[in-house]
Amino acid sequence: MTEIPNDQKILSIDIGGSHIKATVLNMQGSFLQSYERLPTPSPPTPEKVLDVIKQLAQKLPGFDKIAAGFPGFIKEGIVKTAPNLGTDLWADFNLSKNLEEALCKPALAINDADLQGLSVVKGKGVEMMITLGTGFGSAVLNNGILIPHLEIAHHPISKNKDYDQYIGEKELLRIGEKKWNKRMKKVIEILKVVYNYDYLYISGGCAQKIKFELDKNISIVGNKDGIKGGAKLWEQKDKENALKEKLVDESNNIENLIV
């Protein structure tokens, strides 16, 4: 069975509505190079976003693999929805494959909140990550393993608003911090009942606007730490590949015994 490499370097990318950020990590999730960022292009077409990523990659040479967090629904590396960048621009775009072709390294792409969740969780019980930025992002992990992604952001929370529209950055600016905090209290109460999480992490540019006291099992975490999830994503992928290889070897051994 192939040994899981532990000395490789990962270009970890966070594609956001306002900025695209990147750094190089080791397999333990530590920063090996300075954290770089550039503005998200307008319009944020796949081609323009890839151009920005290539500019960032030129500043961060020497990586072996790529991990990218994307603000939308990703299935097997393929974008299905991109509400804050434009689903019409991104639907069915194979982000993983295009990153591999653009940078000539193996690439994985998942939802950005999922990437952040992998970075901050302790791996104990049901842990939830929500991100408060341009839109609302979420991830749920059970004992450190991601459950299939759910786009909670687009589930209705009021008669005519989903979570993005109810507590997103635009709505915060429109209604003000006092009313937004009242809405955030409501959101947290709903998440508490629906997910019965053991711990909730809150990240994103708007997280610092929360002014009310949080429960003991809720904490606000730094935006910068979220990009470290690229290391954990590849760690889990390498373990998955090693397990598949082991199962194939065992199956072949059994067939040889039968013959």
Side-chain angles (χ1 to χ4, degrees):
M1 186 174 70
T2 305
E3 290 187 12
I4 297 174
N6 60 9
D7 60 347
Q8 295 198 318
K9 299 174 183 178
I10 301 159
L11 176 68
S12 193
I13 305 162
D14 180 9
I15 302 169
S18 58
H19 288 87
I20 299 172
K21 294 153 283 206
T23 190
V24 175
L25 309 168
N26 62 19
M27 288 298 290
Q28 290 72 47
S30 299
F31 290 104
L32 297 179
Q33 298 196 42
S34 300
Y35 186 86
E36 300 281 351
R37 74 175 193 169
L38 289 170
T40 303
S42 181
T45 62
E47 294 75 20
K48 288 186 176 182
V49 167
L50 284 173
D51 283 343
V52 171
I53 290 172
K54 284 190 280 188
Q55 291 177 49
L56 289 168
Q58 288 175 356
K59 299 180 181 182
L60 300 163
F63 54 88
D64 304 293
K65 297 176 177 178
I66 305 158
F70 181 85
F73 192 94
I74 298 269
K75 188 173 184 179
E76 301 296 330
I78 299 172
V79 177
K80 295 300 179 182
T81 63
N84 293 310
L85 295 183
T87 297
D88 56 329
L89 300 174
W90 284 88
D92 295 321
F93 182 78
N94 193 324
L95 182 56
S96 292
K97 181 181 177 182
N98 278 274
L99 283 171
E100 289 181 349
E101 291 175 351
L103 301 176
C104 302
K105 301 290 182 182
L108 297 174
I110 61 172
N111 172 266
D112 56 349
D114 285 347
L115 191 72
Q116 290 200 32
L118 283 170
S119 172
V120 303
V121 300
K122 301 295 188 294
K124 298 178 180 179
V126 176
E127 297 172 278
M128 186 171 193
M129 157 68 75
I130 61 171
T131 59
L132 307 175
T134 306
F136 176 87
S138 64
V140 180
L141 299 93
N142 185 33
N143 294 323
I145 304 298
L146 282 167
I147 71 164
H149 185 73
L150 301 173
E151 279 289 80
I152 303 169
H154 306 296
H155 188 279
I157 189 173
S158 68
K159 186 179 292 186
N160 58 358
K161 292 183 184 293
D162 60 21
Y163 282 73
D164 260 4
Q165 298 161 337
Y166 192 68
I167 53 170
E169 186 178 28
K170 285 183 180 179
E171 191 68 354
L172 166 61
L173 294 174
R174 189 184 74 83
I175 65 177
E177 289 187 23
K178 184 176 180 180
K179 192 169 183 179
W180 182 83
N181 270 270
K182 185 177 179 181
R183 290 186 179 185
M184 275 306 307
K185 280 186 178 181
K186 175 182 175 180
V187 167
I188 289 174
E189 286 302 315
I190 290 172
L191 298 177
K192 191 185 304 182
V193 172
V194 172
Y195 290 94
N196 195 25
Y197 52 76
D198 294 300
Y199 209 95
L200 174 66
Y201 304 88
I202 305 174
S203 180
C206 298
Q208 301 301 324
K209 302 292 185 182
I210 293 176
K211 303 302 181 185
F212 54 91
E213 186 176 355
L214 297 170
D215 295 342
K216 291 181 179 179
N217 65 335
I218 302 176
S219 61
I220 295 175
V221 295
N223 225 12
K224 191 173 180 180
D225 289 335
I227 205 166
K228 294 181 180 179
K232 185 64 69 174
L233 178 62
W234 268 106
E235 178 189 333
Q236 291 190 359
K237 183 65 175 178
D238 287 339
K239 286 180 178 178
E240 178 186 324
N241 290 339
L243 178 59
K244 287 179 180 178
E245 185 179 332
K246 180 181 178 181
L247 292 173
V248 169
D249 289 343
E250 289 177 351
S251 176
N252 290 336
N253 290 337
I254 292 171
E255 288 180 3
N256 291 335
L257 289 171
I258 293 173
V259 173

